[in-house]
Amino acid sequence: MCGIVGYLGPKSVDSVLIVGLTRLEYRGYDSAGIAVLDKNEIVVRKEKGKIKDLEELLLSHPVEGNVGIGHTRWATHGEPNRQNAHPHIDTAGSTAVVHNGIVENHHALRLELIDKGHVFHTETDTEVIPHLFEQYYKELKDAPKALKATVDRLEGRFAFVLLLDKFPDRLFFARNGSPLVYGKGRGESFLASDVSAIVPAAKEHFHIENDQWGWITKDGLHLHNGTSEPLPFELTRTQFDVKTLDRGGYEHFMLKEIHEQPGIIRGIIQNRLNDEGLVTLPEMQLPNDFLNRVTRCIITSAGTSWHAGIVGKFYLEQFARLSTEVDISSEFRYRNPIADGETLVVAISQSGETADTLAGIHQAKAKFCRVLSFVNVTTSSIARESEAFIDLMAGPEIGVASTKAYTAQVMSLLLYAQFMGGIKWLGSKEDRLAILREIRLLPEKMERILARAEELKHWAHELRDSKDFVFLGRQHNHPTALEGALKLKEIAYVHASGYAGGEFKHGPIALISDQIPVVCIAPRGELYEKMISNIEEVRSRKGRILSICTEGDEMVRSKSDFCFEIPECPDYLSPLLAVIPLQLFAYYSALERGCEPDQPRNLAKSVTVE
Ligand code: M6R
């Protein structure tokens, strides 16, 4: 939800900002802009569209300087056009701001400032920030004091960076709710929404906390909070493999990330499971006596992470006999759930920055619940605000559609359920070893599926004109149906709905005609026969069947228009395999329909607004 970056140092600031913004483009890509101090004057360049459009503008309208700020936008207030693109400036053109978040009281502030003679040019909430600063600077004649006064007036979540023409050697910043990291290089300093924007130059970094504000010079960070005393802080050595930000020869990040799944699952198994089938979670610092007392879990998450949570519910109930609810974060945060100190709240988030999930964590903590989060970014707000976290170990996920993080979430939830089962002395050593044997076979089975990606390309081509899809699955694969439908909607812009197979006859079956392909997830297992009934129901109404079934299942194949076989596995592992062909189908459908899979319209990778 918007990416921001700031730079002070010897390099040409426009190139540093463009590199940083390109890395942050996953956070929003409807418009972009930079402001540079060019011969003591703030020069702004902004453009509707992606960073490459901004780059083109800079070729025809270059800027020069060594200090500046940049922004890539996911619009909240005001149409995504050049005018509403950041940076925004004050009336005198002396202050420029880039901002990530929402200023909730912007309307009242705008009216107050207009009364005082400020002139506004955009529809954005952000524009009040440079004007407020301008006003307070005029009154207080002191930049830090004016910044603090500005911050005190803002309601909502924000991280922003200010460029001032009167301070060519500083960039000012403030954070409350949206992420902001300071990076220190050799004689240069950075600010950014995440560390990926400033590597490898930022050798060390520090995550700015909520309610902190201050400024950077090329030599360091000056940090404050409510008091006027500078705050101490400790820099961390930056360890970030820049290669993970590369498409690695794949046409899109999404395809690369789909193909990374076997390796990621292999890594999780190696790190977490010993030869006895015992699970180790060294980073999860929740005391065993508390975990032993837990009888109830509430999982809260959004989108794809919510689907992983539904699979997790099956695992926690099956392997740890823990009564588990799963709630969409944006519902959980407002529903005043019945929960107390013996309830474990589990938050799942790839980015660790999803505003709804974060707000749910605050709710849970207010009820004295302990919060355990499953995150892919271990320095994220969700990781830091939870009592303990489990690292998903999926590596940076850049494609907006979540793929490898999903399978890493499902795998981590499975192992966590095993771990909890162990704490509660459930399951024998033989059970554990049998599960271990099956889990160890997974990566190779995933590879076998990926090797047949062409079959899904063929599906996508043949079904390129279909406008609606239905996805059906039962139990562990109900969430797979939801996830398959979500993938198709978000990157190929095709309407699709996922249902639990048994629920289909209670209404959605009315949709079926020869125009509606139905994806039936029907691997062999406990509810296999029930899925066959679903297939028959669709066939008898002339619906087209696309099935995901177990290798060698001639019966399902004979009843299907298209059939993709996945290797045999126990029920509880089938979501990890069955989802892969659906990810590939969505990916190729996006290409068939001329859509850009890595950056689908209207979306952003991390949703840091409500
Ligand atoms: O970062 P999170 O896992 O908290 O994100 C949650 C959702 O926004 C995310 O899964 C979204 O639904 C993806 N675009 C799905 O592919």
Side-chain angles (χ1 to χ4, degrees), residues 30 94 101 226 380 456 531 537:
D30 61 44
S94 295
S380 60
L456 283 319
M531 278 310 300
E537 285 161 10

Coordinates of all heavy atoms in Angstrom, one line a residue, residues 30 94 101 226 380 456 531 537:
D30 N 0.0 2.5 -9.2 CA -0.9 3.3 -10.1 C -0.3 4.6 -10.5 O -0.7 5.2 -11.4 CB -2.3 3.4 -9.5 CG -2.3 4.1 -8.2 OD1 -1.6 5.1 -8.0 OD2 -3.0 3.6 -7.3
S94 N 8.3 24.8 -0.5 CA 9.5 24.6 0.3 C 9.5 23.2 1.0 O 10.6 22.9 1.6 CB 9.5 25.6 1.4 OG 9.7 26.9 0.9
G101 N 0.0 5.4 4.1 CA -1.0 5.2 5.2 C -2.2 6.1 4.9 O -2.4 6.5 3.7
G226 N 8.0 11.0 22.0 CA 7.3 12.1 22.6 C 8.2 13.2 23.3 O 7.9 14.4 23.3
S380 N 8.5 -7.6 10.5 CA 7.3 -6.8 10.2 C 6.6 -6.4 11.5 O 6.9 -6.9 12.6 CB 6.4 -7.7 9.4 OG 6.1 -8.9 10.1
L456 N -1.6 -27.3 -17.9 CA -2.5 -26.2 -17.4 C -2.5 -25.0 -18.4 O -3.5 -24.3 -18.5 CB -2.0 -25.7 -16.0 CG -2.3 -26.6 -14.8 CD1 -3.7 -27.2 -14.8 CD2 -1.3 -27.7 -14.6
M531 N -17.1 -36.3 -3.6 CA -16.8 -35.5 -4.7 C -17.2 -36.0 -6.1 O -17.6 -35.3 -7.0 CB -15.2 -35.2 -4.7 CG -14.7 -34.2 -3.8 SD -15.6 -32.6 -3.9 CE -15.3 -32.0 -5.6
E537 N -23.4 -34.5 -10.4 CA -24.4 -33.4 -10.4 C -24.1 -32.4 -11.4 O -25.0 -31.9 -12.1 CB -24.4 -32.7 -9.0 CG -25.0 -33.5 -7.9 CD -24.6 -33.1 -6.5 OE1 -23.9 -32.0 -6.4 OE2 -24.8 -33.8 -5.5

